[in-house]
């Protein structure tokens, strides 16, 4: 009989579709399901209400967010005020009701009589202007234009302000970029920021390149900076080798 999709001959028990077309259709279906789940997640994020701030009274209460990069965070101003006159980049406007609805950290900050709530100025340390602008844009749209560096920077900011949807969004993007060349760097990053999906993907890539692991510059840096991560990598490798050996022994026993 002929496949209804590709017209190739197939076995009768395959019910109208050859195995290759069936598997391709299944993959497409799974991809569509993931896209639908992502859209639902974005809509839920955008619809999040603010449980503590009255939208009718605060919708027009603008805030000004200022990015203070790490290079300037320890440079005092001439007046002696550690924060005065340090804003070298434009302010990024935002509405407190939006920030409070998406971040419990901002909510706590703005729902209480803290300096940021009274002044309407929030200083975000150790972040560039471009990253902060992308962060605020995501709070309004649930969208971000990512490359690997931007995704990493936004994930750190999302973790700091507990914007879980953004953290997950960035983690998925970084995970899709994991390969043998960057696996060690991404594994260390995932370890620092509790990114489980990225951690597992990076570990899988590392396992594939274990024979040349010690030759990499990233490996040598970890020896100095955080040898505990290397211990964890080798423990995982040994554990998987033991499991593989045990499975082979089991197969041999069954055959006998």
């Amino acid at each position: 009989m002929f496949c209804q999709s590709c017209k190739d001959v197939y076995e009768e028990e395959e019910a109208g579709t050859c195995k290759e077309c069936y598997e391709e259709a299944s993959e497409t279906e799974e991809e569509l399901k993931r896209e639908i789940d992502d859209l639902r997640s974005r809509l839920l994020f955008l619809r999040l209400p603010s449980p503590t701030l009255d939208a009718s009274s605060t919708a027009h209460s603008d805030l000004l967010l200022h990015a203070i990069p790490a290079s300037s965070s320890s440079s005092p101003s001439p007046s002696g005020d550690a924060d005065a006159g340090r804003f070298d980049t434009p302010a990024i406007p935002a509405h407190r009701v939006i920030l409070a609805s998406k971040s419990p950290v901002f909510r706590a900050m703005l729902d209480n009589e803290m300096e940021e709530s009274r002044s309407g100025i929030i200083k975000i340390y150790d972040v560039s202007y471009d990253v902060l602008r992308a962060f605020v844009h995501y709070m309004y749209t649930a969208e971000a234009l990512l490359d690997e560096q931007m995704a990493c920077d936004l994930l750190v900011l999302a973790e700091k302000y507990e914007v879980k949807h953004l953290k997950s969004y960035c983690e998925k993007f970084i995970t899709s970029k994991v390969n043998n060349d960057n696996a060690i760097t991404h594994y260390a990053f995932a370890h620092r920021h509790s990114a489980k999906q990225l951690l597992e993907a990076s570990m899988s890539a590392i396992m594939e390149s274990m024979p040349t692991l010690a030759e990499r510059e990233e490996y040598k840096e970890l020896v100095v900076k955080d040898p505990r991560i290397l211990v964890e990598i080798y423990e995982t490798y040994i554990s998987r080798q033991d499991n593989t050996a045990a499975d082979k022994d089991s197969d041999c026993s069954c055959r006998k």
Side-chain angles (χ1 to χ4, degrees):
M1 297 182 71
F2 290 97
C3 173
Q4 295 176 358
S5 299
C6 68
K7 307 305 181 184
D8 284 348
V9 176
Y10 69 94
E11 299 296 331
E12 186 173 350
E13 62 268 18
E14 290 180 339
T17 306
C18 67
K19 182 179 180 181
E20 289 76 12
C21 289
Y22 177 80
E23 291 176 349
E24 183 178 348
S26 297
E27 291 175 0
T28 302
E29 183 179 1
E30 288 300 317
E31 185 177 347
L32 287 173
K33 286 181 179 179
R34 287 193 294 270
E35 290 179 358
I36 291 172
D37 288 342
D38 287 342
L39 285 173
R40 286 175 175 168
S41 179
R42 286 177 58 191
L43 286 173
L44 180 61
F45 177 75
L46 291 172
R47 289 175 179 172
L48 280 175
S50 171
T52 56
L53 297 178
D54 180 5
S56 63
S57 64
T58 60
H60 300 289
S61 299
D62 288 342
L63 297 169
L64 294 177
L65 278 66
H66 288 275
I68 303 179
S71 59
S72 65
S73 61
S74 60
S75 303
S77 65
S79 65
D81 184 344
D83 292 322
R86 188 189 293 160
F87 305 135
D88 297 327
T89 56
I92 299 172
H95 294 87
R96 61 180 65 208
V97 68
I98 297 295
L99 298 190
S101 67
K102 305 300 190 295
S103 161
V105 176
F106 281 128
R107 185 186 311 143
M109 183 186 299
L110 298 169
D111 196 38
N112 295 292
E113 288 299 313
M114 297 180 67
E115 178 186 350
E116 292 84 356
S117 181
R118 295 193 303 270
S119 67
I121 296 175
I122 300 178
K123 296 179 284 290
I124 309 294
Y125 291 89
D126 300 332
V127 66
S128 71
Y129 170 78
D130 289 339
V131 172
L132 181 56
R133 183 175 60 178
F135 176 72
V136 173
H137 179 77
Y138 192 90
M139 302 287 255
Y140 282 83
T141 65
E143 294 180 347
L145 184 61
L146 299 179
D147 56 27
E148 286 188 62
Q149 187 59 55
M150 177 62 77
C152 290
D153 291 340
L154 280 176
L155 187 148
V156 173
L157 201 55
E159 181 180 41
K160 179 178 180 180
Y161 289 97
E162 299 181 22
V163 186
K164 294 181 180 179
H165 189 271
L166 175 56
K167 182 178 179 181
S168 176
Y169 181 80
C170 293
E171 183 178 358
K172 287 179 181 178
F173 179 87
I174 302 169
T175 300
S176 72
K177 303 298 182 181
V178 171
N179 56 49
N180 290 342
D181 293 331
N182 61 26
I184 299 176
T185 300
H186 284 325
Y187 184 83
F189 177 81
H191 209 282
R192 290 194 300 271
H193 299 287
S194 303
K196 183 179 179 181
Q197 181 182 2
L198 179 59
L199 199 73
E200 293 175 352
S202 300
M203 179 61 81
S204 295
I206 290 171
M207 294 296 101
E208 295 176 1
S209 59
M210 284 299 291
T212 60
L213 186 70
E215 300 173 7
R216 298 179 178 273
E217 288 300 320
E218 298 88 346
Y219 176 94
K220 297 173 183 177
E221 290 178 5
L222 278 180
V223 169
V224 177
K225 294 181 179 179
D226 199 344
R228 294 174 300 173
I229 291 180
L230 295 177
V231 172
E232 185 174 301
I233 289 173
Y234 280 111
E235 286 178 344
T236 301
Y237 178 71
I238 293 171
S239 175
R240 292 190 182 187
Q241 292 292 100
D242 289 343
N243 290 338
T244 300
D247 290 341
K248 288 181 179 179
D249 292 341
S250 178
D251 289 341
C252 291
S253 298
C254 291
R255 290 172 185 172
K256 291 178 181 179

